[in-house]
Amino acid sequence: EADFLSGASHLELANPINKKENLLRHSLLPLVLRKASKNLRFYDEIKIFEIGTIFKKVQAEKLPKEETLIAGAIADKSKTVSELYRQIKGDLEVLFKHLDIKVDFEKTDNFVDISLDNEWLGEVRILDESNKDKFKIRQDILLFSLDIGALFKLVENGEQKIYIPIPIYPSVIRDRSEERRVGKECRSRWSPYH
C-alpha cells in the first residue's frame, strides 16, 4: 500500500509505535480501498468516504506539510464505469452547489481533475487493474479525493451559511375568508394566496 501513488515520497517516523506502520500517509485512498475491499465481499454496491490528514514532505522545511482531505469510493456491480462516473460527479456537484462553488472537471488519462480558477481541488479516478489485484477488488470502482482545506478557504471568503431546520409541522396561513348567501344556501370561500 505504501507505493499506491507513484512518485510520492513517504515520511518515516523516527520512533514508531508499530514497526509495520512506520510511514506517515500521503494519501487517504489506500485506507478507503481497504475498507471498500472488505465491504465488497458482502455488498454489490458501496459508497464510502474518509476524512483525514495527510503529510507531504517539503524540501526547505523541517516539518511536513499537513493537509486535510476527504476521499471516497463508489462501486456498483450493476453499473458501467461511465454510469459510476456520472453518479460520483453528480454527488460532488451537489456538494459544490451547496458551497456556492463553481468548479471545472478536466479529463486527463484515467483521472478527472477538479479545479477552480486553475487551482487544483481534487480528482476522480478509476482504479487500475494492478491495484484491483493488490486490494482484491473484482469490479470497477471509482475513487475521489478533495482538498478540504482549499474548499474551506473558498467558503470562508464567501457568505457564511446558516442552517435553518425545516419545521416538522409547517404552519397553514389563511388570510382571507368570506361568506356569501345565495338563496337559502351559505357558501364559504377562502384563499391562502389573497
Side-chain angles (χ1 to χ4, degrees), residues 89-127:
K89 184 180 178 201
D91 292 343
L92 292 173
E93 285 175 338
V94 167
L95 170 68
F96 295 133
K97 183 178 179 184
H98 284 295
L99 296 174
D100 287 333
I101 299 172
K102 179 72 174 146
V103 299
D104 298 319
F105 290 86
E106 299 173 26
K107 187 177 185 313
T108 58
D109 298 329
N110 283 339
F111 298 89
V112 175
D113 287 327
I114 303 167
S115 61
L116 176 68
D117 298 331
N118 293 326
E119 182 180 343
W120 186 87
L121 295 176
E123 69 183 7
V124 177
R125 66 162 67 185
I126 302 168
L127 186 64

Side-chain angles (χ1 to χ4, degrees), residues 40-178:
L40 285 171
R41 290 185 301 169
F42 305 106
Y43 304 103
D44 291 338
E45 175 187 1
I46 61 161
K47 278 186 175 182
I48 60 173
F49 72 94
E50 169 80 17
I51 297 175
T53 304
I54 64 164
F55 303 89
K56 291 185 177 179
K57 190 174 188 175
V58 180
Q59 295 298 334
E61 299 290 327
K62 185 175 181 178
L63 295 174
K65 180 181 176 185
E66 295 182 38
E67 295 179 358
T68 304
L69 298 181
I70 181 170
I74 181 173
D76 189 342
K77 282 187 179 178
S78 65
K79 294 186 179 177
T80 65
V81 172
S82 60
E83 290 172 326
L84 288 173
Y85 173 71
R86 283 194 296 271
Q87 186 174 358
I88 201 166
K89 184 180 178 201
D91 292 343
L92 292 173
E93 285 175 338
V94 167
L95 170 68
F96 295 133
K97 183 178 179 184
H98 284 295
L99 296 174
D100 287 333
I101 299 172
K102 179 72 174 146
V103 299
D104 298 319
F105 290 86
E106 299 173 26
K107 187 177 185 313
T108 58
D109 298 329
N110 283 339
F111 298 89
V112 175
D113 287 327
I114 303 167
S115 61
L116 176 68
D117 298 331
N118 293 326
E119 182 180 343
W120 186 87
L121 295 176
E123 69 183 7
V124 177
R125 66 162 67 185
I126 302 168
L127 186 64
D128 59 359
E129 293 299 323
S130 64
N131 282 312
K132 279 185 189 178
D133 293 339
K134 190 183 296 183
F135 289 96
K136 298 177 180 147
I137 295 175
R138 292 170 182 67
Q139 67 188 67
D140 289 326
I141 186 167
L142 262 71
L143 307 166
F144 76 90
S145 180
L146 289 174
D147 186 352
I148 290 183
L151 287 176
F152 284 163
K153 287 177 188 172
L154 293 171
V155 173
E156 285 175 4
N157 294 338
E159 182 181 318
Q160 179 131 6
K161 301 285 183 188
I162 298 173
Y163 173 72
I164 301 171
I166 298 172
I168 296 172
Y169 304 106
S171 61
V172 177
I173 300 172
R174 180 192 253 184
D175 65 348
R176 183 175 151 188
S177 176
E178 58 181 77

Side-chain angles (χ1 to χ4, degrees), residues 11-19 21-24:
L11 294 168
E12 192 169 343
L13 293 172
N15 191 12
I17 295 173
N18 184 350
K19 298 281 185 195
E21 297 176 356
N22 63 339
L23 301 175
L24 292 174

